Amino acid sequence: MDGLPANPVIYPTLENEVLGCEDPKIYAVDGRYVLFYNAIWRTPSGDVGCDIMSAVSDDLENWEKLGLAVPYDVSQNWAKGAVVPRDAAGNAVRIRGEYLMFLSEGCGGRPMVGHSDDLITWRFAEQPYLDLTPLRGSLHEVACAVVDDGNLVLDFFYGDENGDFSAAQALYSPDEPFQQLALNRGGSLAWGGLQKLDGDWAFAQGWDAPASSREMYFYRSNQKAPS
């Protein structure tokens, strides 16, 4: 990949990207692709800010930046998440007729959910959607969301009762996407999203590579019955 002329596909070009572009999330929709990523910058007060930006592409190589996806009155200079429910093939899924975006870090500590008709223009509202009381934990960030077999699952990163980094999943019905039905300890923390390959859930992961390593790991559920 290092030798491809289109790599990296997104890199700092704007004033609010001077400290980097990171955490890409790609969603297929209507034959195109929409990318959300974090832009890192220094606020006038000297603090580090994190914006959620968007870009579109027809080929996954050439991207047109669209700018800020989450306005500052929502983010308050820091927002992470941009998690849109996807199906097993990576397509963005409408929930009750619209696209949803779960924001889970920043926004002044408020649980915020975005609503969109086209995945480009968003309106946001405060909306609690995750109760970690049974886990005695606190949310850090939702990693991804999957719609499959009539279920909506949020895969998320949280601090457990001892403050240790942990993974878990929450179950919902797509008809009631904010009414939590169950919690399960353990998850993928697949910030790039989960996808089915040959019947197995799979994802690529690089954040858990050894220090000073650029290795990428590929995980799959291997649900096939032994022969």
Side-chain angles (χ1 to χ4, degrees):
M1 293 293 293
D2 288 341
L4 292 179
N7 187 39
V9 296
I10 291 290
Y11 50 90
T13 60
L14 303 174
E15 289 186 2
N16 67 332
E17 300 173 347
V18 294
L19 298 182
C21 298
E22 58 185 41
D23 288 354
K25 291 175 171 57
I26 298 177
Y27 305 95
V29 57
D30 299 329
R32 301 191 78 193
Y33 304 95
V34 178
L35 165 69
F36 297 100
Y37 65 97
N38 294 339
I40 311 301
W41 57 293
R42 188 74 65 181
T43 70
S45 64
D47 297 325
V48 174
C50 182
D51 293 340
I52 295 178
M53 309 286 282
S54 64
V56 293
S57 174
D58 293 317
D59 58 10
L60 291 175
E61 290 189 6
N62 301 288
W63 293 88
E64 176 189 357
K65 290 184 177 181
L66 301 180
L68 202 64
V70 179
Y72 289 118
D73 63 335
V74 174
S75 72
Q76 299 186 18
N77 290 341
W78 189 280
K80 282 190 174 182
V83 170
V84 176
R86 306 193 320 176
D87 64 18
N91 299 294
V93 175
R94 290 183 182 271
I95 304 292
R96 296 194 301 195
E98 63 181 359
Y99 298 111
L100 299 179
M101 179 192 292
F102 293 89
L103 302 180
S104 49
E105 183 178 319
C107 300
R110 300 168 298 164
M112 304 294 290
V113 173
H115 304 259
S116 176
D117 296 321
D118 58 6
L119 223 63
I120 301 298
T121 303
W122 293 88
R123 57 193 182 279
F124 294 88
E126 186 170 350
Q127 174 63 66
Y129 59 84
L130 189 57
D131 178 12
L132 298 190
T133 302
L135 299 180
R136 292 185 294 171
S138 57
L139 178 65
H140 291 312
E141 188 177 348
V142 175
C144 62
V146 175
V147 176
D148 188 59
D149 291 335
N151 295 312
L152 168 63
V153 175
L154 296 188
D155 190 289
F156 60 91
F157 174 50
Y158 78 105
D160 67 11
E161 60 268 30
N162 299 314
D164 294 330
F165 291 162
S166 303
Q169 294 181 335
L171 176 67
Y172 307 78
S173 164
D175 295 328
E176 296 291 341
F178 312 126
Q179 183 175 326
Q180 181 177 306
L181 300 177
L183 283 177
N184 180 68
R185 291 180 184 269
S188 70
L189 298 186
W191 272 273
L194 289 160
Q195 195 165 341
K196 272 189 176 178
L197 296 176
D198 299 325
D200 292 341
W201 286 104
F203 64 96
Q205 189 67 275
W207 67 268
D208 52 356
S212 303
S213 170
R214 293 174 61 86
E215 294 181 353
M216 179 75 73
Y217 294 93
F218 185 78
Y219 298 89
R220 61 190 306 162
S221 59
N222 195 24
Q223 297 179 21
K224 298 177 182 177
S227 56

